Amino acid sequence: MIGKKVIDTDPITIAEVKEMLEGIQEHYELTYEQNLALDHVTKFSKLDTESAKKMVEELEELIKKTQAIKIADIMPEDMADLRLIFAKERGSIKKEDMEKILEIVNKYR
């Protein structure tokens, strides 16, 4: 690991991970861990990459990027599911904002 270090990290959606792993799979044989990751994201991705990116952009107007990505990955169905996502976050989200978030999610469902 000489000369290797993390320069920057940026969270991405499950749909983007799926696209990346499928791109790698076209050119190389995936390792065991990469195959497990691909299997996982194939089962749990609910959106295509473009829709996920657009949804995250819309949600970023209301909340942080990391929260928007969680919501795009989970696709909460109601207010209770949405509250669970924000349960560990500091601060609180207004009910009006949560309703707007659910409207955005339902638009991409």
Side-chain angles (χ1 to χ4, degrees), residues 8-23:
D8 189 25
T9 60
D10 191 30
I12 59 174
T13 62
I14 287 179
E16 291 173 292
V17 172
K18 181 180 176 185
E19 185 178 274
M20 286 177 158
L21 287 173
E22 287 173 343

Side-chain angles (χ1 to χ4, degrees), residues 22-81:
E22 287 173 343
I24 293 170
Q25 189 178 30
E26 291 175 8
H27 302 290
Y28 305 102
E29 187 174 329
L30 296 179
T31 64
Y32 175 73
E33 291 83 3
Q34 289 170 330
N35 274 320
L36 288 177
L38 181 60
D39 183 45
H40 177 82
V41 297
T42 302
K43 287 179 185 175
F44 292 104
S45 63
K46 298 178 181 179
L47 295 172
D48 61 299
T49 306
E50 290 303 313
S51 297
K53 285 180 182 180
K54 288 178 186 175
M55 183 178 178
V56 168
E57 287 175 12
E58 284 187 47
L59 289 171
E60 277 187 289
E61 296 172 5
L62 300 170
I63 53 178
K64 296 182 223 171
K65 184 175 183 175
T66 55
Q67 295 169 333
I69 288 173
K70 279 184 194 177
I71 291 171
D73 289 344
I74 296 172
M75 297 288 289
E77 294 182 8
D78 56 13
M79 195 69 76
D81 291 344

